[in-house]
Amino acid sequence: MQPGDRVRVERGDVTNEGVLLPSTTRDHLVVKLDGGYNVGVDREAADVEVLESGARDVDEGSDAGGGEASEITFDDDLPTVSLISTGGTIASTVDYRTGAVTAQFDAEDVLRAVPDLAGRANYRGRVVANILSENMEPDIWRELAAAVAEEIEAGADGVVVMHGTDTMQYSASALSFMLDAPVPVVFTGSQRSADRPSSDNVMNAVCAVEAAKADHAETLVCMHASPSDDACALHRGTRVRKNHTSRRDAFETVGAAPLGRIDYEAAAEAGADGETADAAIDWNREPLSRERTDLATATDIDADVELAKFTPGMDPAAWDYLDGKDGVVIEGTGLGHVHTDLIPRIEELVEGGTVVAMTSQCLAGRVCDRVYDTGRDLLDAGVVEAGDTLPGTAKVKLMWALANLSDPATAMGRDLAGELTEESQPWR
């Protein structure tokens, strides 16, 4: 049997019929059911009968790695948007005739998967990685930043990074620190795959492309603003957090409204007419200008940084693994506290050369270790306050600061990429 054959698969008292698809392992069969969904079955435990050979023409795809670029026919009247894939649900190319998902990802694949993108821009496609986002690594951040810079140097008017949602906020933070870009860099993804009726991939992709064409130079996350298909929120890359496991509007700007909001219908109509969608974007705060800077990169990163969470009753030995780390970000309680008994442990880290920064487990507000005795003792121990920087963003920031700045400890208390408000006042 070969991919494309129509098969009947029996396992136990369950029988499935459909088209055999390519599988990523030899241990499992993947079958596309007539209802549109795919099922995986343990090969050894299944009895398989081939009902029809070559019922469908299934492309098994090709290797998606290597960072190779592709391009399609260009229209001189349209802007150029580079589409960079790191993997994730939105980057999967689904053959709607068979349901097969191929590993190959280039500009043509994107337009086949999301036909609504056609005519909005000239596209270049590039693969940096093809991974589940939970497998993201700092080395890939470096490769991604370098790829974005190369695309901008090659003339891209905007860049869309297609990324798995679970760690998108970390990658968006990393590029916010690594790049000074004169064009938009827009991260987007999909909470639900393209073969589900409730998929959010089309709207997110269209809004991300239109945001990448717009008149600003922010590093953004563009995802559904509500459960409905009405608008996408534009979140600053250093202030966004995934706050729900599965909702389409899972991403939120913490402590404030999103940087902006893009109306889907207006953006879709403008792009289809070859126009920019700036009028479809309602900015809550003034975005960075395209003219503000030339392209600059600082992609070094120190991965020897940990994010440690304090909880009541924790065993102090749980922090033994922090010995010798270059940096530690603590997610403390309230204004930035830990159990008093842990303060000598933190002092030992600081005396050993570790930069220790304090953040809060609270979803809004800032660290202030000058109010209570515990906080003052933490400051005396050498802890630096990270203000209202989100814990995940603080980890990425410290990784970057250790590799690029002469005084990373002081930098944790300064705003570098929109991650920190330096005064205690409400976000607008």
Side-chain angles (χ1 to χ4, degrees):
M1 60 183 173
Q2 300 293 329
D5 293 348
R6 185 170 183 81
V7 297
R8 178 183 291 120
V9 180
E10 296 183 358
R11 184 179 184 277
D13 59 354
V14 177
T15 300
N16 290 301
E17 288 189 14
V19 175
L20 186 67
L21 302 180
S23 175
T24 57
T25 73
R26 296 181 179 275
D27 298 329
H28 296 88
L29 300 170
V30 180
V31 179
K32 178 69 176 179
L33 305 180
D34 293 338
Y37 286 89
N38 300 344
V39 295
V41 183
D42 187 320
R43 185 184 292 265
E44 290 188 359
D47 293 324
V48 183
E49 178 185 356
V50 177
L51 302 178
E52 182 183 354
S53 296
R56 295 288 180 87
D57 181 18
V58 175
D59 180 6
E60 295 196 49
S62 60
D63 181 18
E68 297 180 357
S70 66
E71 57 186 75
I72 57 177
T73 303
F74 273 47
D75 181 339
D76 290 337
D77 294 329
L78 292 176
T80 298
V81 174
S82 291
L83 307 174
I84 298 181
S85 172
T86 64
T89 303
I90 197 171
S92 299
T93 303
V94 179
D95 182 336
Y96 288 100
R97 294 177 300 106
T98 65
V101 178
T102 67
Q104 186 176 359
F105 179 92
D106 59 19
E108 291 88 344
D109 289 326
V110 177
L111 293 178
R112 281 195 294 269
V114 188
D116 302 60
L117 293 181
R120 299 177 180 278
N122 300 312
Y123 297 105
R124 290 173 49 87
R126 181 170 184 150
V127 177
V128 169
N130 188 18
I131 61 171
L132 299 171
S133 74
E134 56 265 35
N135 294 331
M136 183 58 65
E137 298 282 349
D139 283 343
I140 302 177
W141 292 339
R142 280 195 289 260
E143 294 174 19
L144 179 57
V148 170
E150 289 171 7
E151 292 298 311
I152 295 171
E153 289 174 340
D157 298 298
V159 178
V160 173
V161 179
M162 296 185 172
H163 195 292
T165 59
D166 282 359
T167 61
M168 186 189 296
Q169 65 205 52
Y170 294 90
S171 297
S173 287
L175 262 65
S176 298
F177 295 115
M178 290 178 169
L179 293 176
D180 280 332
V183 304
V185 179
V186 184
F187 281 76
T188 194
S190 180
Q191 286 283 86
R192 301 175 186 178
S193 60
D195 59 347
R196 294 181 62 183
S198 61
S199 179
D200 51 338
N201 72 324
V202 171
M203 178 171 143
N204 291 346
V206 167
C207 287
V209 165
E210 294 303 325
K213 293 161 50 182
D215 187 18
H216 68 96
E218 293 277 355
T219 297
L220 300 173
V221 168
C222 175
M223 295 288 288
H224 265 56
S226 75
S228 301
D229 290 330
D230 53 358
C232 276
L234 303 177
H235 306 279
R236 183 164 279 159
T238 54
R239 290 301 309 180
V240 66
R241 188 177 188 273
K242 183 176 180 180
N243 279 346
H244 198 282
T245 58
S246 58
R247 283 174 61 115
R248 301 197 297 175
D249 57 337
F251 284 79
E252 298 179 20
T253 294
V254 175
L259 182 62
R261 177 185 173 96
I262 180 167
D263 182 88
Y264 176 43
E265 183 176 352
E269 290 178 357
D273 293 336
E275 302 174 358
T276 61
D278 286 284
I281 301 177
D282 182 17
W283 296 105
N284 292 314
R285 295 180 293 282
E286 189 68 25
L288 299 176
S289 167
R290 282 181 179 259
E291 291 79 26
R292 73 181 179 90
T293 184
D294 295 326
L295 176 66
T297 62
T299 61
D300 289 342
I301 201 158
D302 184 341
D304 195 28
V305 175
E306 292 292 341
L307 175 59
K309 187 178 185 111
F310 164 71
T311 58
M314 66 178 293
D315 185 348
W319 280 6
D320 286 351
Y321 76 102
L322 301 177
D323 286 338
K325 293 291 181 183
D326 291 341
V328 172
V329 174
I330 297 174
E331 195 175 314
T333 59
L335 292 170
H337 299 149
V338 300
H339 194 290
T340 304
D341 291 347
L342 284 171
I343 296 176
R345 179 80 183 86
I346 293 171
E347 189 171 13
E348 291 174 2
L349 290 172
V350 174
E351 291 176 348
T354 302
V355 177
V356 180
M358 181 64 72
T359 63
S360 177
Q361 297 169 18
C362 298
L363 290 182
R366 65 192 303 107
V367 165
C368 182
D369 280 319
R370 293 168 175 80
V371 178
Y372 298 101
D373 287 345
T374 299
R376 293 178 178 273
D377 291 341
L378 284 165
L379 293 176
D380 289 342
V383 167
V384 295
E385 297 173 305
D388 61 351
T389 308
L390 302 180
T393 299
K395 176 181 178 178
V396 176
K397 178 180 179 178
L398 185 52
M399 295 167 103
W400 182 84
L402 284 164
N404 293 278
L405 303 179
S406 60
D407 189 355
T410 299
M412 294 305 293
R414 292 190 290 109
D415 177 49
L416 303 180
E419 77 283 358
L420 169 66
T421 54
E422 297 191 24
E423 295 182 6
S424 295
Q425 54 181 290
W427 284 69
R428 290 188 293 111

